[in-house]
Amino acid sequence: MTTIVVAMGEKNEIGFENQLLWHLPKDLKHFKDLTSGHPIIMGRKTYESIGKALPNRTNIVVSKKKNWFEEGILIVGSIKEAIKFAKKIDEQVFVIGGGNIYAQTIDIVDKLEVTLVKADLKADTYFAKIDLKVWEKVSETFHEKDEKNEYDFYFQTYEKIKSE
Ligand SMILES: NC(=O)c1ccc[n+]([C@@H]2O[C@H](COP(=O)([O-])OP(=O)(O)OC[C@H]3O[C@@H](n4cnc5c(N)ncnc54)[C@H](OP(=O)(O)O)[C@@H]3O)[C@@H](O)[C@H]2O)c1
């Protein structure tokens, strides 16, 4: 199973100037719970935005740049290679962004774990519109904003509709 994990606003916005758009500790915990123990695949810009390897997960970074190495990450030259290596490590693989990598993987993943943030924010990076002819929402939970989480949001799971 290959799963995209993404947090997006009401206009599918996901980032601005290589940063996330909100501070939602509950979403960070959700992300950690989903991905810990499994390989995660990300684009080079998302890796730079995070700034370090995330612990307890094999961090696979996709980049065409040659001859760079950093502690705790596996650098590969294509998404195909990233998925091939990830699958050798574990059956459950997570694609964690950013926009560029999501756009190239949405048609090949099996599942979407979406955090839909009830906010409309300035952005320069977006997620594709989820095509409901392709994806079925199988669960949704609402979380109200509180002193630590600045917006209302939903956790949503979409599964690919199987064609006959
Ligand atoms: N809200 C969310 O859930 C979420 C999650 C993750 C990221 N983000 C946000 O998304 C933004 C970053 O996204 P982005 O679209 O700018 O960049 P990105 O997808 O993180 O990374 C793009 C880079 O990945 C490499 N790459 C992409 N396709 C490749 C391919 N087919 N083969 C080899 N390398 C490939 C290239 O690196 P090289 O240039 O090194 O070749 C490219 O410049 C940031 O604002 C970040 O905060 C949001």
Side-chain angles (χ1 to χ4, degrees), residues 7 14 18-19 44 46 62-64 77 96 98-101 104:
I14 64 165
N18 220 23
Q19 296 297 322
R44 192 258 309 160
T46 291
V62 187
S63 173
K64 292 224 186 286
I96 66 155
N100 195 316
I101 297 294
Q104 297 177 70

Side-chain angles (χ1 to χ4, degrees), residues 4 6-8 112-116 130 154-158:
I4 277 180
V6 61
M8 64 173 123
L112 310 176
E113 293 286 2
V114 175
T115 303
L116 177 62
I130 296 173
Y154 296 87
F155 290 137
Q156 303 175 323
T157 302
Y158 291 84

Side-chain angles (χ1 to χ4, degrees), residues 69-127:
F69 305 92
E70 274 180 35
E71 193 176 354
I73 63 168
L74 178 63
I75 303 163
V76 298
S78 71
I79 289 171
K80 200 172 165 192
E81 238 182 325
I83 291 174
K84 187 179 88 184
F85 288 143
K87 290 275 179 194
K88 287 191 181 187
I89 296 164
D90 189 20
E91 169 47 26
Q92 301 287 337
V93 174
F94 290 90
V95 176
I96 66 155
N100 195 316
I101 297 294
Y102 289 141
Q104 297 177 70
T105 53
I106 181 127
D107 292 334
I108 55 173
V109 301
D110 312 293
K111 201 172 176 184
L112 310 176
E113 293 286 2
V114 175
T115 303
L116 177 62
V117 183
K118 298 301 283 176
D120 179 352
L121 299 166
K122 183 175 177 181
D124 59 16
T125 315
Y126 293 83
F127 193 76

